[in-house]
Each structure stands twice: as structure tokens, then as C-alpha cells.
Amino acid sequence: MFHNLEGADVPDFARNGMNRIFMPTETQFEVLEQLGKGHSNKEIARALNLTVAAVEYHMHRLFDLTNTANRVELALWWVEYRAVNPFDRLRRKSV
């Protein structure tokens, strides 16, 4: 999911073209958190009570949404994104 933040002070890496910023769904957020910890799709599925196919679906959606090509790029993108995005830190604390 993206929100239009034209003119907002947002780091370039968080933007995904046309003045949009990445806002993950709750499941995407959880998948990214697990990926950032270095977990495999099978481990992510087990931790989140999902099927491996569901995790793969979310991963491919995340590749598209973040303009990344593979899980290594996505994990690196996520680590950088989390470092400067206080919204996700606050959101995670309230979950």
C-alpha cells in the first residue's frame, strides 16, 4: 500500500516513484521483520502461522512494491527503511 506524500520530507530510498511512500500491510510488515532476522520462507511461515506459498506471495508483492529483485535486496532495503522510519517503530510497539 502506498500513500501520496507529494512534497513531504521523505528519504529517497523510501519513495517508490511518483511521490509515493511504502506503507506495508500488517502481514507484509511481519514478513519483512522475519526476513530482516535472516529467516527462510519456511521459518517465516512457521513463525507467522502461514503456508510457505502465502509467504512466497507476500515476498513477490514486496519485491514489486519496493522495486527489489530478490530477498537479499529486500532485506537490505528493509533494514535501511526501518532505520529512519519512526512510524513503523511506533506501529510495531503497539501491536
Side-chain angles (χ1 to χ4, degrees):
M1 175 179 290
F2 291 92
H3 294 277
N4 189 343
L5 295 176
E6 188 168 348
D9 185 23
V10 177
D12 289 339
F13 72 85
R15 292 191 182 277
N16 186 354
M18 301 189 317
N19 296 314
R20 298 181 305 170
I21 185 168
F22 175 70
M23 301 284 286
T25 65
E26 195 61 41
T27 303
Q28 289 170 342
F29 184 90
E30 292 171 352
V31 168
L32 285 166
E33 286 285 293
Q34 294 292 315
L35 178 67
K37 294 175 183 176
H39 294 205
S40 68
N41 287 356
K42 187 174 182 179
E43 291 168 326
I44 294 170
R46 190 175 306 124
L48 302 180
N49 199 27
L50 299 171
T51 65
V52 173
V55 171
E56 290 170 353
Y57 168 80
H58 288 296
M59 294 290 280
H60 286 283
R61 282 290 296 141
L62 289 163
F63 294 156
D64 291 341
L65 292 172
T66 60
N67 290 322
T68 55
N70 56 55
R71 63 188 300 116
V72 173
E73 284 184 16
L74 181 59
L76 292 172
W77 183 93
W78 180 241
V79 169
E80 186 176 0
Y81 179 85
R82 289 280 287 151
V84 297
N85 193 323
F87 170 77
D88 283 337
R89 283 194 203 107
L90 295 174
R91 180 175 168 193
R92 189 62 179 157
K93 289 179 185 176
S94 66
V95 172

